[in-house]
Amino acid sequence: MIRSGAIPGVAFGHLADGDARTDTRARARMAAELGIPTEWATVSQVHGAVVRLVDAPGHAGDADGLITQTPGVPLVIATADCVPIAIAGERTIAVVHAGWRGIAREIVPNALDRFRDLGDPATVAIVGPHIGSCCYEVGEDVVAAVGHPGETTWGTTSVDLRAAVHTQLGSLQIEDIDECTMDEDAFASYRRNGTSERQVTVAWLS
């Protein structure tokens, strides 16, 4: 797992940690290592822009983000090339699953709006491991939707998801975990081998 000092209650998993949304043994291992409960808040990710407010563990429906002001409730999303983002204010924490469709639908600004609605504007974000512009070959439709065009290492068109997320995060303090999931075998990557496996990002308030 990858930890960060920017938001103490955040962990980005590796492929070897397992998909702890559905694998109870993987969840137990991660929870024990992180010192958090084994009951987590989860969603069915749909590449949309909904961020759900929760105050208890359990399945929160279709969404691509979770936010809470309740201490001790772990929030989890899963990725295999999309961008996992943890966002925090003084008494609020959120996790966001941002693929290119979610970015185009402005899931990150929606998450920041939820912080403001709760009276606790976000101050800091961590952008976790995801596919880099070095490897994210796309068509012109994705470039038109997301912006931030780039080039793969083999010379084709790509987009820079990190740059797009940074733009949407605005003036927040941002920490990047600069790992490309397609390049690094430690991470699940759908683009690399079509895997159904995912790594999870967990965030919680102490």
Side-chain angles (χ1 to χ4, degrees), residues 31-71:
E33 184 172 342
L34 297 171
I36 59 176
T38 55
E39 296 298 317
W40 296 358
T42 64
V43 290
S44 296
Q45 296 168 193
V46 293
H47 293 276
V50 173
V51 178
R52 296 204 182 277
L53 174 66
V54 296
D55 58 11
H59 188 257
D62 291 349
D64 287 271
L66 286 161
I67 187 169
T68 192
Q69 292 188 314
T70 304

Side-chain angles (χ1 to χ4, degrees), residues 47-49 64 97-109 168:
H47 293 276
D64 287 271
H97 160 255
W100 75 263
R101 291 177 180 85
I103 292 169
R105 292 166 180 162
E106 300 196 328
I107 187 169
V108 176
Q168 293 190 346

Side-chain angles (χ1 to χ4, degrees), residues 110 112-120:
N110 285 354
L112 300 182
D113 285 345
R114 298 306 300 268
F115 277 84
R116 286 187 284 268
D117 292 344
L118 291 167
D120 184 29

Side-chain angles (χ1 to χ4, degrees), residues 7-199:
I7 307 175
V10 172
F12 297 93
H14 288 101
L15 174 60
D17 294 314
D19 187 345
R21 295 177 307 167
T22 55
D23 184 335
T24 56
R25 289 179 295 180
R27 183 182 301 199
R29 288 193 302 269
M30 290 185 71
E33 184 172 342
L34 297 171
I36 59 176
T38 55
E39 296 298 317
W40 296 358
T42 64
V43 290
S44 296
Q45 296 168 193
V46 293
H47 293 276
V50 173
V51 178
R52 296 204 182 277
L53 174 66
V54 296
D55 58 11
H59 188 257
D62 291 349
D64 287 271
L66 286 161
I67 187 169
T68 192
Q69 292 188 314
T70 304
V73 177
L75 313 176
V76 63
I77 53 99
T79 56
D81 288 331
C82 293
V83 188
I85 310 164
I87 308 172
E90 291 186 4
R91 59 183 188 279
T92 312
I93 199 161
V95 288
V96 171
H97 160 255
W100 75 263
R101 291 177 180 85
I103 292 169
R105 292 166 180 162
E106 300 196 328
I107 187 169
V108 176
N110 285 354
L112 300 182
D113 285 345
R114 298 306 300 268
F115 277 84
R116 286 187 284 268
D117 292 344
L118 291 167
D120 184 29
T123 57
V124 60
I126 308 173
V127 179
H130 60 278
I131 193 167
S133 60
C134 57
C135 298
Y136 193 34
E137 182 175 348
V138 298
E140 292 301 327
D141 57 329
V142 178
V143 176
V146 176
H148 301 280
E151 187 174 279
T152 65
T153 55
W154 53 92
T156 57
T157 299
S158 69
V159 294
D160 189 336
L161 296 178
R162 178 172 61 179
V165 166
H166 274 236
T167 296
Q168 293 190 346
L169 287 169
S171 62
L172 268 63
Q173 174 190 336
I174 303 170
E175 178 176 322
D176 286 300
I177 297 172
D178 191 14
E179 301 273 4
C180 173
T181 50
M182 185 168 169
D183 256 353
E184 299 290 338
D185 289 342
F187 301 101
S189 169
Y190 182 80
R191 280 296 184 103
R192 185 173 62 238
N193 56 18
T195 183
S196 60
E197 296 181 285
R198 300 292 183 266
Q199 53 262 337

